Amino acid sequence: MNLHTFEVGCTLKDYEYKNVHNDFVQYKSLYYPDKHNENRKKFDGLKGRGILIYLYRVNIDEKHYVVHINYRINPTRCFDGGDYLNVFHANDAYKIIPQVNDLLKTISSYLPLLNECHLVRLDFCSNIILGSETQVKEWIKQINQSYIPNIKYHQKFIKDKRAGRYVVPKEEATFTRYNYVELSFYNKLHQILTEDIQVKKYPNILRCEARCFKNYIDFLKRKFQLTDIADFFDKLPEVGTYVFEHQMKSLGFSNNYYYLYEIREFIEQSPFKRKTKKRMIDFISAASKHKGISNAVIKEPILKPINIIKKLYSLDIAPMPLPCRSSIKSGTNILDLCLKYADAKKVEG
């Protein structure tokens, strides 16, 4: 299992804040107010080693306030500041705490050590290597079209200024359960080129990230009986596998993708009654015709679509058919791909 980024935080005592502040001031322009938050300051002195530090002032009343400190950490870059491509493997997680602590000590002896903080966010990650950038884009489109509207997860849309309406992004498919967890698939090559990141090779990566926020982390701690950051790192493979499996199943991304004609054949060979088979075939045909499950539900008079979808799941079939010209191999399961590459130690182009 691989880890991309995590965040920790704690509250500073008055003397700690004053001393940390004085130490940060020595770095001049690397310590500055955040233009997006008047109560927050940023310190970039360790940015080149994958650590961003934030100081938050939280008002208690008109006269009193406390200061919270947060570390946003990319463990791969803690060890190799120039590596913007790889993610950190669970086998080496035991190295993170001493490495981060050593880096923090180079800035200020008053900074809280990593093991003195509590975990507030953790991103599990998988770099899925595909045959071409075209296939990366096809997968993103397929996943966006596979989204089944529900009250828990919201699909990301962006404003198309030319069309004057909101559309799903072409370079990512992101689904958010507010303040809990976010599952995102995106074109890593597009990100590299857009942000002008210098890397030695440019493999075609479909990056999958499961971003766990504090409420979900608290749930995971209870489920896996974890008490601190060190415990979390020890159980990364088990926890990460659970997160990917559970979140993809919740969103309906854990079944096999097939072409429309193949799904029709599977349905015809199934033990369901003829009337049920017709409803299932009508549903997948509508999803294919309207290029998305959400569109099909809106534009077609489909009765109880969730019941139809559950029947397709029972046959291990993803309800969104592959386009006839898709280069995605029939029978591919995106969850299987995600878990397969989540254990890769290095990106191999």
Side-chain angles (χ1 to χ4, degrees):
M1 182 55 61
N2 283 314
L3 167 66
H4 179 252
T5 305
F6 66 95
E7 292 183 30
V8 300
C10 67
T11 302
L12 293 177
K13 297 181 176 66
D14 286 343
Y15 79 91
E16 290 176 324
Y17 167 63
K18 290 176 182 177
N19 286 298
V20 166
H21 172 75
N22 290 335
D23 288 339
F24 281 0
V25 167
Q26 305 303 314
Y27 289 83
K28 298 180 180 179
S29 63
L30 295 178
Y31 181 47
Y32 55 93
D34 188 342
K35 63 181 181 180
H36 300 295
N37 187 334
E38 63 180 11
N39 292 320
R40 185 170 77 174
K41 290 185 176 181
K42 298 174 68 175
F43 177 73
D44 287 345
L46 287 172
K47 184 177 180 180
R49 298 302 299 274
I51 302 176
L52 296 175
I53 301 177
Y54 300 88
L55 293 174
Y56 297 83
R57 175 172 147 167
V58 180
N59 295 322
I60 299 174
D61 53 40
E62 293 182 358
K63 296 182 179 180
H64 302 89
Y65 65 88
V66 294
V67 175
H68 295 295
I69 189 166
N70 266 50
Y71 304 141
R72 182 176 297 172
I73 300 169
N74 181 318
T76 301
R77 296 189 60 223
C78 285
F79 292 87
D80 182 353
D83 191 343
Y84 291 86
L85 197 59
N86 284 292
V87 286
F88 204 82
H89 197 272
N91 289 359
D92 297 321
Y94 69 94
K95 300 177 183 178
I96 295 175
I97 293 177
Q99 176 72 359
V100 170
N101 286 344
D102 286 345
L103 291 170
L104 294 174
K105 289 173 185 177
T106 66
I107 301 299
S108 173
S109 60
Y110 294 96
L111 282 169
L113 299 179
L114 189 58
N115 40 298
E116 297 172 344
C117 301
H118 56 271
L119 195 62
V120 295
R121 174 173 169 170
L122 189 143
D123 297 353
F124 291 103
C125 185
S126 179
N127 281 327
I128 302 172
I129 310 298
L130 297 173
S132 66
E133 188 184 6
T134 297
Q135 198 169 92
V136 173
K137 293 181 177 181
E138 286 179 348
W139 264 117
I140 291 171
K141 185 176 181 180
Q142 187 71 26
I143 294 167
N144 268 321
Q145 292 181 353
S146 299
Y147 171 70
I148 301 165
N150 64 86
I151 60 173
K152 288 185 178 180
Y153 296 86
H154 297 279
Q155 183 177 27
K156 181 176 180 177
F157 281 79
I158 58 173
K159 183 69 177 288
D160 185 332
K161 295 180 180 179
R162 184 174 298 178
R165 57 188 174 88
Y166 285 91
V167 298
V168 293
K170 292 182 179 180
E171 304 293 346
E172 69 171 299
T174 298
F175 311 92
T176 305
R177 184 174 175 182
Y178 178 71
N179 206 29
Y180 198 71
V181 65
E182 185 171 79
L183 188 67
S184 183
F185 301 83
Y186 62 91
N187 185 344
K188 183 62 179 176
L189 178 58
H190 178 264
Q191 182 208 12
I192 289 171
L193 297 176
T194 300
E195 299 181 11
D196 196 25
I197 298 172
Q198 300 301 313
V199 297
K200 295 180 180 179
K201 51 188 175 182
Y202 297 84
N204 300 297
I205 297 174
L206 175 64
R207 168 70 65 83
C208 176
E209 289 182 11
R211 301 161 185 156
C212 308
F213 305 125
K214 187 178 184 303
N215 288 341
Y216 192 35
I217 287 172
D218 289 343
F219 164 78
L220 294 170
K221 284 181 178 179
R222 294 192 298 270
K223 179 175 178 60
F224 291 94
Q225 299 181 332
L226 310 173
T227 58
D228 55 22
I229 294 173
D231 276 353
F232 222 104
F233 287 164
D234 286 343
K235 290 284 186 72
L236 277 180
E238 185 180 354
V239 177
T241 299
Y242 168 82
V243 168
F244 275 132
E245 288 181 345
H246 186 73
Q247 294 308 313
M248 289 205 188
K249 286 179 180 177
S250 296
L251 281 159
F253 302 152
S254 61
N255 300 100
N256 300 326
Y257 281 95
Y258 297 101
Y259 294 99
L260 181 60
Y261 75 90
E262 294 177 307
I263 301 177
R264 284 173 176 161
E265 291 177 2
F266 289 138
I267 292 171
E268 291 293 358
Q269 295 168 11
S270 72
F272 296 119
K273 295 179 180 179
R274 182 165 298 280
K275 186 177 180 180
T276 301
K277 290 180 181 180
K278 183 179 183 306
R279 290 181 61 215
M280 293 168 71
I281 291 173
D282 287 346
F283 179 84
I284 60 166
S285 298
S288 179
K289 174 184 175 182
H290 296 293
K291 299 181 179 180
I293 292 175
S294 297
N295 293 338
V297 172
I298 293 170
K299 297 179 180 180
E300 298 282 350
I302 301 171
L303 183 64
K304 297 182 179 179
I306 293 301
N307 291 346
I308 299 173
I309 290 169
K310 287 180 178 178
K311 287 179 170 59
L312 289 164
Y313 287 167
S314 71
L315 300 176
D316 199 16
I317 294 172
M320 184 63 214
L322 293 170
C324 59
R325 296 182 180 179
S326 175
S327 65
I328 298 172
K329 185 179 178 181
S330 173
T332 304
N333 186 307
I334 191 63
L335 172 57
D336 289 346
L337 279 179
C338 183
L339 292 177
K340 171 187 174 183
Y341 285 99
D343 200 40
K345 293 185 178 180
K346 290 284 183 180
V347 169
E348 300 292 344

